[in-house]
Amino acid sequence: GQCLLSQLDEEARRDHLDRHPVRPVTPYTVRDAQSLLRRLERVRRMEPVIERQEYALGTVCAAIPVTIGTTAATMAISLPAHQADRLLPTARRLQAEMGRLVGSLALSISI
């Protein structure tokens, strides 16, 4: 969710949070909308968003942004927390593969 929210402009983020208030899922989850918005401000464009036990205890997750035209989406992978050292390299590989796939789709559509 954080990765997708990071792709929205401030107005769209606030609209989403007004309709879907922040609710902690685990002890590590962001606790309130202001904290979440501050975190989203630090997300660098087109970078994976890493979460550690925020959605499920014992897991780590990386989400990558996928943008096609004006459509924003994400792809995510989760691993057991004890494999956290594999997360970022795996997310970067997924991002590279998605970049190639999306690029080839755009090329085949434009021909």
Side-chain angles (χ1 to χ4, degrees):
Q2 292 181 35
C3 187
L4 191 54
L5 285 171
S6 74
Q7 296 179 70
L8 302 177
D9 63 32
E10 185 176 342
E11 183 179 338
R13 285 180 193 167
R14 289 188 184 278
D15 176 62
H16 177 84
L17 293 172
D18 286 344
R19 290 180 289 117
H20 307 281
V22 173
R23 291 193 175 90
V25 179
T26 76
Y28 304 101
T29 305
V30 174
R31 305 287 245 201
D32 58 74
Q34 290 306 318
S35 297
L36 177 59
L37 290 170
R38 280 193 303 277
R39 180 182 285 188
L40 295 175
E41 288 173 1
R42 293 189 306 264
V43 173
R44 294 180 54 203
R45 189 178 183 317
M46 301 310 290
E47 285 294 313
V49 175
I50 307 296
E51 296 179 5
R52 290 175 175 81
Q53 300 191 80
E54 293 185 51
Y55 186 71
L57 292 176
T59 65
V60 292
C61 176
I64 59 166
V66 178
T67 305
I68 302 173
T70 59
T71 302
T74 63
M75 289 197 73
I77 55 173
S78 294
L79 294 172
H82 70 273
Q83 295 181 11
D85 59 319
R86 295 180 52 217
L87 187 62
L88 190 55
T90 303
R92 294 219 185 274
R93 182 173 175 198
L94 176 62
Q95 189 171 30
E97 294 295 327
M98 283 304 302
R100 281 191 280 281
L101 177 62
V102 169
S104 67
L105 285 173
L107 180 63
S108 66
I109 291 171
S110 66
I111 293 179

